[in-house]
Each structure stands twice: as C-alpha cells, then as structure tokens.
Amino acid sequence: MLLLTLGTAAGGGVPQWNCACPGCSGARAHPDRRRSHDSLAVFGGGQSSWFLINAGPDITDHLEAHAELRPGAGSERTPVVRILLTDAELDHTLGLLRLREAHHLKIFATAPVRQALRERLALDSVLTPYATITWHDLPPSGQTPAVAAGIEVSAVPLSTKRPRYAADAVEDDTWVVAVRLHDPATGTTALYAPALAAWTEDFANEAAGADCVFVDGTFWDDDEPKRLGISARTSTGMGHLPIDGPGGTAGRLAQLPGRCLYTHLNNTNPLVDPSARQHRVLAGLGLEVAQDGMVIEL
Ligand SMILES: [Zn+2]
C-alpha cells in the first residue's frame, strides 16, 4: 500500500488565519513551514483507487496538489470517492461539503460519528441534492473489516471525546478512533491516530503489530496549551496525549518496532520550527515528524 500525507496540522492549520504566534509567523515568513489540516491518502495498488482518511477544509487543494489524485478518464471521473473518518471534528469533516460536485461519495465512519454528521451537521440533507452519499461502517478491529480499494480497514476505539457541537451526545468509545489499514497483498499494516487521548491496551497491541504508525503530535508537552493561553486545560485534558514528559507518547513509540511519525501538529508546537531542538530529541529516539506531501510505501 502507498500512503501519502496530504496534511499534518491540527485544527486551524499552520499558520492559522487569526494567529500571529511564533509558529504561525514563522510559517508566513517561511512558506515551506506551512502545514494544512491532517489527512492521509491511501492507495491499495493494482486496479484499485485512492481513498482518504479525514476530509478537512483543505481537501480540494490537497486533491489538486497531487497528480495521482486529480480526475481523469472513467465513469467516476475522480479517483477519490471513498473517505474514512477518525472522528466527527469539523477539521476532519468540513471537506465533505467541498466535495458536493461528486457523483457518489462513500463515507466510512463509526456509528456515533455517522449519527453526528447526519443529524447534527445535516450532511445528508445538505449534500444529497447534489451527490449520492452512502454510509459505511468502520467496524472495530477484530471484527470482519470493511474493505476500501483492496485495503482492509477497521477502527481502534480511542476515546469518548465528542466535538463541541455534539457535546451532549451519548458517550461511546468510538467517537474517536485510530484507523487500522491492512494490505492483504503485502501483509503490511499501518495505523493512523491523529487524536490519541489515552494509550489504551487495544491501541498498544495494534501499534506493536504495525509497520507504520501515525500518532497525535498536537502538543509537545502537557502544559503547552495552558502556558500559551489557548486553553485552561492541559494537552491530556483536551484529548491529546503530549509527545514529551511523563505519560507522553515519545517514550512509548520509541519501543515500537515499526516506523513512527507524528502528525496533527498544533501551531503552538515547537516542532513547527524545523530548527527547534525538539527535532533532535525525537531523532535520538528514532521517531519522525511527518511533513505535508510525504509518500510511504509499505
Ligand atoms: Zn499561531
């Protein structure tokens, strides 16, 4: 399977339109530091087509930026008709509205995410006058996986964190999931977890067996959002395990056999500056920071 990182930023992107913090200012001065909302394109090889994990507000820029995702011959015109979702957050789902010109969209999501998008964001009633939408279950790993473009896909439940627009919805541990991708042709497995609230036993087991793991790199340390005044909560309190420190993910990822990359970086994360010392800390642990536009073959 081929993985293409379309975007690697948390909500707002880097730079964020209403922010002039050092990370955002640095990205304005150095365009190569810009990061768009996290999204991963996946290709199963052979005659299959690409599919996306998460559809943020940058989605049509993402599709235009990569020749393999642009339209061509064939009845579907575009190679992208399948979208998998890790959660119902606006930064991962607003792009669905930008795909209204599609003939047919197939959306794979867990039950609470589907329900939030259909009932609270009214995606069905807004989009179906334009395009045919079909909803597909993203079953928990261990059950019979769904198949998208030749790749077996399933969900690793991570947390009950609901988007603010669905804060009163019923708790369920599949509100936020990691997507597990398994290519039966090559026997390889990847995990995509841009929002990791807790290092659960299920996630630990799946990560230990994966060839490549993308992990929540929203904040470097647990106090970052409080210290920089963007939240009264810690990183963990906001549903994102920090990278560094006790309970951080770096120490755990360093023990894994597969390739590990951080994604979903917030504009406050010192890693958005390529000269930051924190890059050397991660390199010393054998860990990587994903960039927009990386291609990984598994
Ligand atoms: Zn900023």
PDB file of all heavy atoms in Angstrom, residues 8-29:
ATOM      1  N   THR A   8      -0.725  17.763   7.760  1.00  0.00           N
ATOM      2  CA  THR A   8      -0.157  17.273   9.025  1.00  0.00           C
ATOM      3  C   THR A   8      -0.417  18.228  10.193  1.00  0.00           C
ATOM      4  O   THR A   8       0.251  18.135  11.216  1.00  0.00           O
ATOM      5  CB  THR A   8       1.368  17.081   8.869  1.00  0.00           C
ATOM      6  OG1 THR A   8       1.938  18.342   8.462  1.00  0.00           O
ATOM      7  CG2 THR A   8       1.701  16.011   7.852  1.00  0.00           C
ATOM      8  N   ALA A   9      -1.381  19.148  10.030  1.00  0.00           N
ATOM      9  CA  ALA A   9      -1.625  20.138  11.093  1.00  0.00           C
ATOM     10  C   ALA A   9      -2.902  19.830  11.852  1.00  0.00           C
ATOM     11  O   ALA A   9      -3.835  19.212  11.335  1.00  0.00           O
ATOM     12  CB  ALA A   9      -1.716  21.542  10.498  1.00  0.00           C
ATOM     13  N   ALA A  10      -2.961  20.315  13.081  1.00  0.00           N
ATOM     14  CA  ALA A  10      -4.184  20.267  13.885  1.00  0.00           C
ATOM     15  C   ALA A  10      -5.129  21.367  13.402  1.00  0.00           C
ATOM     16  O   ALA A  10      -4.831  22.089  12.442  1.00  0.00           O
ATOM     17  CB  ALA A  10      -3.838  20.454  15.360  1.00  0.00           C
ATOM     18  N   GLY A  11      -6.267  21.501  14.088  1.00  0.00           N
ATOM     19  CA  GLY A  11      -7.294  22.459  13.696  1.00  0.00           C
ATOM     20  C   GLY A  11      -6.750  23.867  13.517  1.00  0.00           C
ATOM     21  O   GLY A  11      -6.024  24.372  14.370  1.00  0.00           O
ATOM     22  N   GLY A  12      -7.087  24.497  12.401  1.00  0.00           N
ATOM     23  CA  GLY A  12      -6.599  25.842  12.110  1.00  0.00           C
ATOM     24  C   GLY A  12      -5.446  25.860  11.144  1.00  0.00           C
ATOM     25  O   GLY A  12      -5.223  26.837  10.449  1.00  0.00           O
ATOM     26  N   GLY A  13      -4.675  24.767  11.127  1.00  0.00           N
ATOM     27  CA  GLY A  13      -3.509  24.710  10.253  1.00  0.00           C
ATOM     28  C   GLY A  13      -2.379  25.582  10.766  1.00  0.00           C
ATOM     29  O   GLY A  13      -2.471  26.206  11.820  1.00  0.00           O
ATOM     30  N   VAL A  14      -1.290  25.593  10.029  1.00  0.00           N
ATOM     31  CA  VAL A  14      -0.129  26.433  10.351  1.00  0.00           C
ATOM     32  C   VAL A  14       0.275  27.167   9.062  1.00  0.00           C
ATOM     33  O   VAL A  14       0.698  26.509   8.118  1.00  0.00           O
ATOM     34  CB  VAL A  14       1.063  25.603  10.862  1.00  0.00           C
ATOM     35  CG1 VAL A  14       2.202  26.540  11.295  1.00  0.00           C
ATOM     36  CG2 VAL A  14       0.661  24.670  11.997  1.00  0.00           C
ATOM     37  N   PRO A  15       0.143  28.505   8.967  1.00  0.00           N
ATOM     38  CA  PRO A  15      -0.388  29.385  10.004  1.00  0.00           C
ATOM     39  C   PRO A  15      -1.913  29.333  10.099  1.00  0.00           C
ATOM     40  O   PRO A  15      -2.589  28.998   9.137  1.00  0.00           O
ATOM     41  CB  PRO A  15       0.056  30.776   9.521  1.00  0.00           C
ATOM     42  CG  PRO A  15       0.102  30.643   8.027  1.00  0.00           C
ATOM     43  CD  PRO A  15       0.538  29.231   7.754  1.00  0.00           C
ATOM     44  N   GLN A  16      -2.410  29.671  11.273  1.00  0.00           N
ATOM     45  CA  GLN A  16      -3.853  29.784  11.484  1.00  0.00           C
ATOM     46  C   GLN A  16      -4.264  31.218  11.176  1.00  0.00           C
ATOM     47  O   GLN A  16      -3.575  32.164  11.578  1.00  0.00           O
ATOM     48  CB  GLN A  16      -4.170  29.416  12.935  1.00  0.00           C
ATOM     49  CG  GLN A  16      -5.660  29.479  13.272  1.00  0.00           C
ATOM     50  CD  GLN A  16      -5.940  28.964  14.675  1.00  0.00           C
ATOM     51  OE1 GLN A  16      -5.590  27.848  15.007  1.00  0.00           O
ATOM     52  NE2 GLN A  16      -6.567  29.803  15.491  1.00  0.00           N
ATOM     53  N   TRP A  17      -5.380  31.396  10.514  1.00  0.00           N
ATOM     54  CA  TRP A  17      -5.770  32.702   9.959  1.00  0.00           C
ATOM     55  C   TRP A  17      -5.800  33.821  10.982  1.00  0.00           C
ATOM     56  O   TRP A  17      -5.561  34.979  10.651  1.00  0.00           O
ATOM     57  CB  TRP A  17      -7.133  32.588   9.266  1.00  0.00           C
ATOM     58  CG  TRP A  17      -8.286  32.310  10.207  1.00  0.00           C
ATOM     59  CD1 TRP A  17      -8.665  31.094  10.689  1.00  0.00           C
ATOM     60  CD2 TRP A  17      -9.183  33.271  10.770  1.00  0.00           C
ATOM     61  NE1 TRP A  17      -9.743  31.215  11.518  1.00  0.00           N
ATOM     62  CE2 TRP A  17     -10.092  32.550  11.587  1.00  0.00           C
ATOM     63  CE3 TRP A  17      -9.328  34.654  10.672  1.00  0.00           C
ATOM     64  CZ2 TRP A  17     -11.114  33.168  12.305  1.00  0.00           C
ATOM     65  CZ3 TRP A  17     -10.352  35.262  11.394  1.00  0.00           C
ATOM     66  CH2 TRP A  17     -11.225  34.522  12.190  1.00  0.00           C
ATOM     67  N   ASN A  18      -6.112  33.527  12.260  1.00  0.00           N
ATOM     68  CA  ASN A  18      -6.284  34.606  13.246  1.00  0.00           C
ATOM     69  C   ASN A  18      -5.176  34.593  14.293  1.00  0.00           C
ATOM     70  O   ASN A  18      -5.380  35.037  15.405  1.00  0.00           O
ATOM     71  CB  ASN A  18      -7.646  34.468  13.930  1.00  0.00           C
ATOM     72  CG  ASN A  18      -7.798  33.150  14.660  1.00  0.00           C
ATOM     73  OD1 ASN A  18      -6.976  32.247  14.487  1.00  0.00           O
ATOM     74  ND2 ASN A  18      -8.833  33.026  15.462  1.00  0.00           N
ATOM     75  N   CYS A  19      -4.013  34.078  13.940  1.00  0.00           N
ATOM     76  CA  CYS A  19      -2.962  33.909  14.944  1.00  0.00           C
ATOM     77  C   CYS A  19      -1.624  34.423  14.426  1.00  0.00           C
ATOM     78  O   CYS A  19      -1.300  34.266  13.249  1.00  0.00           O
ATOM     79  CB  CYS A  19      -2.848  32.436  15.308  1.00  0.00           C
ATOM     80  SG  CYS A  19      -1.710  32.148  16.666  1.00  0.00           S
ATOM     81  N   ALA A  20      -0.867  35.059  15.328  1.00  0.00           N
ATOM     82  CA  ALA A  20       0.467  35.558  14.979  1.00  0.00           C
ATOM     83  C   ALA A  20       1.496  35.060  15.987  1.00  0.00           C
ATOM     84  O   ALA A  20       2.442  35.768  16.330  1.00  0.00           O
ATOM     85  CB  ALA A  20       0.471  37.080  14.915  1.00  0.00           C
ATOM     86  N   CYS A  21       1.293  33.853  16.488  1.00  0.00           N
ATOM     87  CA  CYS A  21       2.264  33.269  17.419  1.00  0.00           C
ATOM     88  C   CYS A  21       3.557  32.969  16.652  1.00  0.00           C
ATOM     89  O   CYS A  21       3.578  33.038  15.418  1.00  0.00           O
ATOM     90  CB  CYS A  21       1.690  32.002  18.052  1.00  0.00           C
ATOM     91  SG  CYS A  21       1.590  30.595  16.928  1.00  0.00           S
ATOM     92  N   PRO A  22       4.644  32.640  17.369  1.00  0.00           N
ATOM     93  CA  PRO A  22       5.903  32.379  16.650  1.00  0.00           C
ATOM     94  C   PRO A  22       5.761  31.288  15.574  1.00  0.00           C
ATOM     95  O   PRO A  22       6.346  31.414  14.491  1.00  0.00           O
ATOM     96  CB  PRO A  22       6.858  31.944  17.777  1.00  0.00           C
ATOM     97  CG  PRO A  22       6.325  32.634  18.999  1.00  0.00           C
ATOM     98  CD  PRO A  22       4.829  32.646  18.835  1.00  0.00           C
ATOM     99  N   GLY A  23       4.972  30.258  15.848  1.00  0.00           N
ATOM    100  CA  GLY A  23       4.803  29.195  14.851  1.00  0.00           C
ATOM    101  C   GLY A  23       4.098  29.688  13.600  1.00  0.00           C
ATOM    102  O   GLY A  23       4.502  29.384  12.469  1.00  0.00           O
ATOM    103  N   CYS A  24       3.044  30.474  13.789  1.00  0.00           N
ATOM    104  CA  CYS A  24       2.293  30.986  12.634  1.00  0.00           C
ATOM    105  C   CYS A  24       3.108  32.034  11.885  1.00  0.00           C
ATOM    106  O   CYS A  24       3.157  32.024  10.646  1.00  0.00           O
ATOM    107  CB  CYS A  24       0.958  31.566  13.089  1.00  0.00           C
ATOM    108  SG  CYS A  24      -0.192  30.311  13.682  1.00  0.00           S
ATOM    109  N   SER A  25       3.767  32.940  12.643  1.00  0.00           N
ATOM    110  CA  SER A  25       4.586  33.965  11.987  1.00  0.00           C
ATOM    111  C   SER A  25       5.736  33.316  11.219  1.00  0.00           C
ATOM    112  O   SER A  25       6.075  33.742  10.106  1.00  0.00           O
ATOM    113  CB  SER A  25       5.135  34.940  13.026  1.00  0.00           C
ATOM    114  OG  SER A  25       4.073  35.571  13.709  1.00  0.00           O
ATOM    115  N   GLY A  26       6.315  32.286  11.819  1.00  0.00           N
ATOM    116  CA  GLY A  26       7.409  31.570  11.144  1.00  0.00           C
ATOM    117  C   GLY A  26       6.955  30.943   9.841  1.00  0.00           C
ATOM    118  O   GLY A  26       7.669  30.960   8.833  1.00  0.00           O
ATOM    119  N   ALA A  27       5.731  30.419   9.833  1.00  0.00           N
ATOM    120  CA  ALA A  27       5.224  29.790   8.617  1.00  0.00           C
ATOM    121  C   ALA A  27       4.884  30.822   7.548  1.00  0.00           C
ATOM    122  O   ALA A  27       4.956  30.541   6.355  1.00  0.00           O
ATOM    123  CB  ALA A  27       3.992  28.934   8.944  1.00  0.00           C
ATOM    124  N   ARG A  28       4.502  32.047   7.989  1.00  0.00           N
ATOM    125  CA  ARG A  28       4.242  33.099   6.989  1.00  0.00           C
ATOM    126  C   ARG A  28       5.552  33.566   6.347  1.00  0.00           C
ATOM    127  O   ARG A  28       5.601  33.877   5.166  1.00  0.00           O
ATOM    128  CB  ARG A  28       3.507  34.279   7.643  1.00  0.00           C
ATOM    129  CG  ARG A  28       2.073  33.934   8.005  1.00  0.00           C
ATOM    130  CD  ARG A  28       1.249  35.149   8.437  1.00  0.00           C
ATOM    131  NE  ARG A  28      -0.089  34.677   8.812  1.00  0.00           N
ATOM    132  CZ  ARG A  28      -0.495  34.471  10.067  1.00  0.00           C
ATOM    133  NH1 ARG A  28       0.313  34.749  11.072  1.00  0.00           N
ATOM    134  NH2 ARG A  28      -1.705  33.998  10.300  1.00  0.00           N
ATOM    135  N   ALA A  29       6.611  33.599   7.169  1.00  0.00           N
ATOM    136  CA  ALA A  29       7.906  34.051   6.654  1.00  0.00           C
ATOM    137  C   ALA A  29       8.601  32.963   5.839  1.00  0.00           C
ATOM    138  O   ALA A  29       9.391  33.256   4.947  1.00  0.00           O
ATOM    139  CB  ALA A  29       8.795  34.484   7.813  1.00  0.00           C
TER     140      ALA A  29
END
